[in-house]
Amino acid sequence: MDVPELLPHPLAGGAFPSPVPPGTGWPDDPADSSTPVAETPGEVGSLAAGAADLHTLDARISVCRACPRLVSWREEAAVIKRKSFADQPYWGRPVPGFGDESPEILVVGLAPAANGSNRTSRMFTGDRAGDWLYAALYRAGLAAIPTSTHVGDGQRLHRVRIMSAVRCAPPGNKPTTAERDACAPWMAAELRQVLPTVHVVVALGGYGWDAVLRLLRDAGVRISRPKPRFGHGARTAVETSDGRRIIVLGCFHPSQQNTFTGRLTENMLDDLFAEARALCAPE
């Protein structure tokens, strides 16, 4: 049997195989060897529904194995590393949400990147899209530092939480409909935990927009019909069952395709997060 290569964490030290087993000392790993593992979509639903708090939910998300294609791909990417990260261990597991546990602003994306969050274990960390997002959050006064390179770097979010519709890195950045649906209970459970404090949801890209509106509707939030259309700066108000108003803002995804071509600029991101802050309750 091949012995897995052990590599040091870039910031915290220690030696880890790729993928990283739960409970082996990885910084901020929410799981351990006793965390229950979802092996099927049905088990995702029951384990998500039974999570009493965000920490328990994050732990269960981080060990999920319900989608064989995604498990295979994320772990293959963790072993056959990008050359520039060949000296680092890869998380190689699903990525839980990151940020404030009582957020006023919720940022929702598509899925982890194979050499970004799948490597670092933190949402939108370790790739160009994350560089843009965290820099914008910092300029808006919502992040502690302007970069997010790895867990252990001191990054903290204020009033903001980041999550994604799918928690494993998908091949070609395109999860299947079945994979999206299998993962949806994790996002729905996280949404239930944080929704009482949320004033604004920033949906990154059309996929994030559709996922947010679908899960808000499933959570009993009133959505206008026909379904609001996505666009950068698109804005729609939704109403919770207790009559509270939440604003959903559309934002072009900070992918290299959008930022390199100028479809999304720093000023556009800054204006959008300034609007999100203005829509929240006074500090």
Side-chain angles (χ1 to χ4, degrees), residues 163 165 184-185 187-188 191 210-221:
M163 56 194 281
M187 183 174 170
L191 193 62
D210 290 343
V212 164
L213 293 180
R214 180 171 55 251
L215 287 174
L216 285 173
R217 181 197 62 213
D218 292 347
V221 176

Side-chain angles (χ1 to χ4, degrees), residues 23 63 89 94 96-97 111 118 131:
V63 295
N118 188 56
D131 292 344

Side-chain angles (χ1 to χ4, degrees), residues 161-208:
R161 187 171 181 86
I162 304 174
M163 56 194 281
S164 64
V166 174
R167 302 309 174 102
C168 294
N173 293 320
K174 293 181 179 179
T176 66
T177 300
E179 289 162 351
R180 178 204 71 187
D181 292 346
C183 204
W186 295 132
M187 183 174 170
E190 188 167 3
L191 193 62
R192 286 194 299 272
Q193 296 270 3
V194 302
L195 198 60
T197 61
V198 170
H199 293 271
V200 180
V201 180
V202 175
L204 301 177
Y207 197 104

Side-chain angles (χ1 to χ4, degrees), residues 236-278:
T236 186
V238 301
E239 186 177 312
T240 64
S241 58
D242 60 359
R244 195 166 61 85
R245 190 168 175 261
I246 296 174
I247 301 299
V248 181
L249 296 176
C251 178
F252 288 153
H253 194 285
S255 64
Q256 291 187 55
Q257 181 179 357
N258 286 336
T259 58
F260 280 8
T261 61
R263 187 171 187 241
L264 179 66
T265 67
E266 288 186 356
N267 286 341
M268 290 167 67
L269 267 181
D270 289 348
D271 288 346
L272 190 132
F273 281 110
E275 181 180 2
R277 283 198 60 158

Side-chain angles (χ1 to χ4, degrees), residues 11-206:
L11 298 178
F16 300 93
S18 303
V20 177
T24 52
W26 184 269
D28 297 335
D29 186 347
D32 59 31
S33 59
S34 68
T35 302
V37 178
E39 301 278 0
T40 67
E43 290 176 354
V44 171
S46 61
L47 287 174
D53 51 43
L54 273 177
H55 181 79
T56 301
L57 180 66
D58 288 346
R60 293 177 178 186
I61 288 171
S62 76
V63 295
C64 182
R65 301 184 65 84
C67 298
R69 188 182 79 116
L70 296 188
V71 172
S72 176
W73 174 254
R74 80 192 190 209
E75 294 186 353
E76 179 181 331
V79 174
I80 306 173
K81 301 175 172 70
R82 178 175 285 178
K83 186 176 180 181
S84 53
F85 302 126
D87 61 343
Q88 298 182 17
Y90 271 54
W91 173 250
R93 288 163 44 195
V95 181
F98 171 66
D100 200 317
E101 293 191 359
S102 300
E104 296 179 38
I105 300 170
L106 192 61
V107 179
V108 180
L110 166 57
N115 297 287
S117 300
N118 188 56
R119 173 174 57 89
T120 69
S121 79
R122 180 191 288 159
M123 283 285 172
F124 273 92
T125 293
D127 59 21
R128 293 290 183 86
D131 292 344
W132 272 68
L133 178 61
Y134 282 101
L137 291 172
Y138 177 77
R139 293 191 298 268
L142 300 169
I145 56 177
T147 60
S148 184
T149 60
H150 225 296
V151 290
D153 62 5
Q155 181 62 275
R156 294 292 182 270
L157 298 183
H158 172 55
R159 305 171 70 192
V160 175
R161 187 171 181 86
I162 304 174
M163 56 194 281
S164 64
V166 174
R167 302 309 174 102
C168 294
N173 293 320
K174 293 181 179 179
T176 66
T177 300
E179 289 162 351
R180 178 204 71 187
D181 292 346
C183 204
W186 295 132
M187 183 174 170
E190 188 167 3
L191 193 62
R192 286 194 299 272
Q193 296 270 3
V194 302
L195 198 60
T197 61
V198 170
H199 293 271
V200 180
V201 180
V202 175
L204 301 177

